[in-house]
Amino acid sequence: MPRHGVYPRDIVPPRSKYSDAGRFGRMFGELPPFAADTPDVRAALIEIGKVGGIMDAKDNLTKTPAELITNPALSAKNSDNPTLTAGFTFLGQFLDHDMTFDPTSSLERQVDPEQIANFRTPSLGLDVYGAGPGGSPHLYDTQGGKGGKFLLEATGTANKFDVPRNSQNVALIADPRDDENLIIGQLQVAFLKFHNEVVEYVKTKIKLTGSDEIFAEAQRIVRWHYQWIIVHEFLRKTCGDAVVDDVLTNGRKYYSWHNEPYIPVEFSVAAYRFGHSQVRPSYRANFTGNGGNPFFAMIFTPTPSDPNDPDDLSGGCRAPRRFIDWPTFFDFSDGNVKPNKKIDSTLSTSLFRLPGSVVPNPDPKTNPASLAQRNLLRHLTFSLPSGQRVARAMKLPELSKGDLSDLKPHGFDDRTPLWFYILREAQVTQNGERLGPVGARIVTEVFLGLLQGDKGSYLSQDPEWQPFLPTVDASKKGDDFRMIDLLRYAEVA
């Protein structure tokens, strides 16, 4: 089965609710597809997701990356989200990679979720560890003393680090997708440095001495603090306190499994793709990388200028300016943070022209370069139900036909593809600041279900556990550990 391209029409996944352990499945297997896979339906989806169509934010990509950030008029449909900062887009991508080991990009996932084995049971156990110092020795600093610290290398700028790379610039990391772009690559560095600092904590504060026991305890502390951030920062900001508290208190209603967790297609193909709507055309990577000036760059360009130091935020390389200053992405209360884009039914224009590294040999009908078209066509490939039917099955309020009136010419205002429905639901019911009722419930139940299904997670082993590493606000130690605290402790901010 090909990695790239839209799947042929005759490949229709089975509609079983559960697949084997470690595979994908369905939350709502009893619901019919939102539409039949016909030429007219395919043409309508291609029209909805086309360049310049109703989902295109129509950013002015002739302007510089800095202008797209500093002049709101150039990206008028990329509205600022007052409650989520720019870093949450990439934290969400990092979490997506951690859930499953599917070696294809989160922008371009083509495997059939119900047919391909997931290589391991899906979880949020922090895949940066690989198989540990014994099974993945290339990830670790073998000369760094006891405890299994990660290997890091200098970027060429003082106190800035990169993941280790081989002679061809291939990142030596557990999951190659975490080198897709500069921001997620540097987030990987932050987690590696966080682990290294926790190793020192275990040695000096807990005073363990055996190399294996130091590593095991450091790994547990790192994982549990990371999982706490997922539950109490990422989910609460993305889905809302009420939904998270309800699932934690009253349990999951729609996401269940027989033996081990699976990844529902309603989540992987629709609900969790809300992050595509949050991507900006360009970002400020750092404050001083361009000869003492800020390094602004597009998230990607069709033809990056220099493979060794491109003019966009591509991954796969190392150069002195290729580092991240995290106060742009997470709020350190210093006035530097930039907001995320709202969750709505528009995507940045750059995502309608995916580069050849993501979509080789694009074809408007069989292999479109528009991410919106690709996402919509997958609803046919995987026989996904409409957003309205899912809302009814969950006994949640439905969007009105008026809320989806721009889909009426295509006949989808009352049988809307689930991904589009979830984006529009966030826009209509939450002003784009977080997911709406259907999207929030699916995302929250899957995240918490994965953690509850992992015997090593804090929610399984000690659900009353609280973080104990330092926080910015010392008075909130234990119940307000956030990404800014992790980044400070890791000494990358």
Side-chain angles (χ1 to χ4, degrees), residues 320-461:
R321 69 174 177 173
R322 305 193 79 76
F323 63 91
I324 294 296
D325 280 328
W326 290 112
T328 286
F329 294 90
F330 295 97
D331 189 1
F332 289 82
S333 301
D334 59 1
N336 284 308
V337 73
K338 295 297 183 183
N340 217 332
K341 176 189 172 297
K342 284 185 176 180
I343 305 169
D344 56 31
S345 56
T346 59
L347 274 63
S348 293
T349 297
S350 56
L351 297 180
F352 290 79
R353 300 175 177 87
L354 295 176
S357 59
V358 177
V359 183
N361 305 313
D363 180 271
K365 292 184 178 181
T366 61
N367 189 31
S370 162
L371 182 60
Q373 289 175 334
R374 301 178 79 85
N375 285 348
L376 290 166
L377 289 170
R378 286 193 186 96
H379 285 61
L380 298 177
T381 305
F382 300 126
S383 303
L384 284 184
S386 69
Q388 288 87 347
R389 283 189 179 274
V390 172
R392 278 175 235 151
M394 299 176 87
K395 297 180 173 59
L396 293 172
E398 282 182 58
L399 295 181
S400 70
K401 293 178 70 171
D403 293 329
L404 297 154
S405 58
D406 49 349
L407 296 182
K408 185 175 181 179
H410 309 290
F412 294 145
D413 54 337
D414 58 356
R415 50 166 186 161
T416 307
L418 184 57
W419 174 62
F420 189 101
Y421 183 96
I422 284 169
L423 297 181
R424 182 60 58 82
E425 180 190 55
Q427 181 178 342
V428 170
T429 68
Q430 306 296 323
N431 192 31
E433 295 178 15
R434 63 188 66 81
L435 288 170
V438 171
R441 189 80 196 191
I442 292 173
V443 170
T444 299
E445 289 209 7
V446 171
F447 268 96
L448 294 182
L450 290 177
L451 289 170
Q452 290 162 345
D454 177 2
K455 295 178 182 178
S457 76
Y458 90 87
L459 278 183
S460 291
Q461 289 198 6

Side-chain angles (χ1 to χ4, degrees), residues 46-256:
I46 288 173
E47 177 71 16
I48 292 166
K50 72 179 182 179
V51 174
I54 62 172
M55 296 194 74
D56 187 346
K58 301 178 177 65
D59 306 301
N60 188 343
L61 299 186
T62 66
K63 302 298 183 179
T64 68
E67 287 175 318
L68 287 168
I69 293 172
T70 57
N71 184 351
L74 299 177
S75 295
K77 291 189 177 181
N78 274 333
S79 303
D80 290 344
N81 189 330
T83 64
L84 281 171
T85 63
F88 283 93
T89 297
F90 301 94
L91 178 59
Q93 184 184 18
F94 185 87
L95 300 181
D96 175 81
H97 294 174
D98 193 35
M99 276 181 258
T100 62
F101 189 76
D102 167 1
T104 52
S105 163
S106 57
L107 276 180
E108 183 46 25
R109 181 159 299 135
Q110 287 293 342
V111 295
D112 180 341
E114 292 189 306
Q115 298 300 315
I116 189 167
N118 179 35
F119 302 100
R120 63 166 172 78
T121 300
S123 69
L124 289 157
L126 207 53
D127 254 356
V128 299
Y129 287 104
S136 303
H138 59 288
L139 304 180
Y140 294 88
D141 183 358
T142 57
Q143 300 176 4
K146 293 182 177 180
K149 287 188 176 181
F150 284 107
L151 184 63
L152 292 159
E153 296 176 353
T155 64
T157 296
N159 300 315
K160 302 299 181 183
F161 295 91
D162 185 24
V163 297
R165 298 181 182 277
N166 68 15
S167 61
Q168 297 179 337
N169 261 335
V170 176
L172 303 178
I173 55 179
D175 189 335
R177 297 169 300 165
D178 286 334
D179 193 35
E180 283 183 354
N181 61 65
L182 175 62
I183 305 167
I184 197 169
Q186 287 285 292
L187 193 57
Q188 168 97 358
V189 169
F191 277 101
L192 302 186
K193 284 183 64 64
F194 182 53
H195 168 85
N196 289 354
E197 294 300 320
V198 173
V199 166
E200 288 302 310
Y201 177 92
V202 171
K203 290 179 179 178
T204 59
K205 301 295 185 182
I206 303 179
K207 300 189 182 303
L208 298 181
T209 57
S211 188
D212 290 346
E213 63 180 356
I214 292 169
F215 176 81
E217 181 61 8
Q219 184 184 48
R220 183 190 67 81
I221 292 170
V222 167
R223 280 176 166 167
W224 285 17
H225 280 77
Y226 160 70
Q227 291 167 354
W228 176 273
I229 287 171
I230 293 172
V231 175
H232 294 286
E233 186 173 24
F234 180 79
L235 280 184
R236 289 186 181 280
K237 284 182 174 292
T238 302
C239 300
D241 287 335
V243 178
V244 175
D245 287 337
D246 181 63
V247 177
L248 285 172
T249 303
N250 300 313
R252 291 170 276 113
K253 297 178 181 178
Y254 310 104
Y255 174 52
S256 58

